[in-house]
Amino acid sequence: MLYEQRKVQKNPRDSRRAVKMESDTCLWFPVTEQQALYECPMCSLTCTNIQILEEHVDLHLEEQNFSEGGNMRDLELAQQLQTEEDERQRSEEEKREREEFKKLQRQYGLDNSGGFKQQFLKNMEREVDRGRMQPFEYHKRKADMMESLASGIDDGRTKTSGVIEALCKYYQSENKDVRRVWLSAGVDHFHSSLGDRGWGCGYRNFQMLLSSLLQNSFYNDCLRDTTLIPSIPKIQSMIEDAWREGFDPHGASHFNNRLHGSKAWIGACEIYSLLTSLRIKCQIIDFHKPTGPMGTHPRLFEWILHYYSADNEGGAKVVCTSKPPIYLQHQGHSRTVVGIEEKKNKSLCLLLFDPGCSSQQMQKLLKQNSDGSGLRLLQKFVGNLKEKQYQIVAVDGVLSLEEKAARCRASQVLTSEKIP
């Protein structure tokens, strides 16, 4: 350590000397030599002793080392606390994501909790426990369900036939505010049962669509191996067969290539793959955003009107077309379009079959009152459909084997026509 040494110039007179007084007495007056001054390089303190200065500077150094060491310890502690907080937040986020994933799995039937059979038996047992079903009925329905599963044919318990024919008669004689109405070819209504309640709407809508195609001889060749309405587990197997043929591999991977035995929801892509694998020509139209005020979709209504009216330009008020119904999908639910009304004020109104409607409700349409109150069950105006997105699957003929193969290759990246 270097120290700054300050020396003061000696005065020649500064010495111990004797001063002669006027008397004979000789007295000594001490005259002190000017001492050296040493300045601390860290705080500018001035010392007269080099050793004291060194001790003083050592104190500075010890204090600095202690402070730096404390800062380092504080920094290390802060870093450790931050690391622990980051790990805690990451752990909570991973836990939250796992819970959300499990919730989605349960919601979409991918949680390995069983499928149609397990839910059917569980719900029937609950009905017996609550006194809503007698034990003998439980055993009878269980036997019928097992027979249906073995044959792959729907037991028809949820089916209502003849609604389209009843609507045709009603519109011809009543409903004065309707200018024109277009109806699909005959369609049977199917509603959800104890086995698929909460997740089976897509399968039930496929049954409705298929019931119409089976009544149309134009599709006999495509459906020669499917002459009766399949059960939901059978439909699941049919979709798996379409995946094995190569249709929509991305969609198949979403379900881990397995639907049978699950409560997995299906949508427009699965309906498209299944129909195309049967050589039924169809297309997906994606109304991916609202096209009208207040989140409405007037373009959807216009497209459906054109679908039904394009080949039916006659002047009849009630047009019973040969067109199959339309599969209509939105987030969380799907329904079947069976017709469209054009009111005298030019507004449009869809007619929908909903799998959520029971047989009892649909039976009322077969005994239509003159006031048409039961019809409200089916009617949906533009202001009633305000989901962010709608997709439809519309059937439009049959495919050759070559066309089917081409569509299979194209479905490696499944696309839709977007409107707008």
Side-chain angles (χ1 to χ4, degrees), residues 18 34 37 52 107 128 155 181 194 201 205 215 240 251 269 275 286 304 311 363-364 379 396 401 417:
Q34 182 67 38
L37 300 178
I52 293 175
Q107 179 180 350
V128 172
D155 60 13
V181 60
L194 293 175
C201 59
N205 284 303
Q215 297 177 48
E240 290 177 356
C269 293
L275 290 172
D286 186 2
I304 292 174
D311 299 328
Q363 289 288 335
K364 294 178 181 178
Q379 292 173 319
D396 187 27
L401 291 175
E417 178 184 343

Side-chain angles (χ1 to χ4, degrees), residues 160 162-164 167 186-190 205 208 325 333-338 351-357 362 365 377-378:
T160 301
V163 176
I164 297 296
L167 291 176
V187 187
D188 295 330
H189 177 270
F190 290 82
N205 284 303
M208 295 187 211
H333 194 42
S334 60
R335 287 168 285 189
T336 297
V337 181
V338 298
L351 301 175
L352 303 181
F353 278 5
D354 191 330
C357 293
M362 297 302 295
L365 294 167
L377 187 69
L378 309 183

Side-chain angles (χ1 to χ4, degrees), residues 50 65 73-74 107 109 113 148 209 216-217 418:
I50 188 66
N65 290 337
R73 286 192 295 274
D74 289 344
Q107 179 180 350
S113 62
S148 173
L209 176 55
N216 190 332
S217 60
K418 291 185 179 295

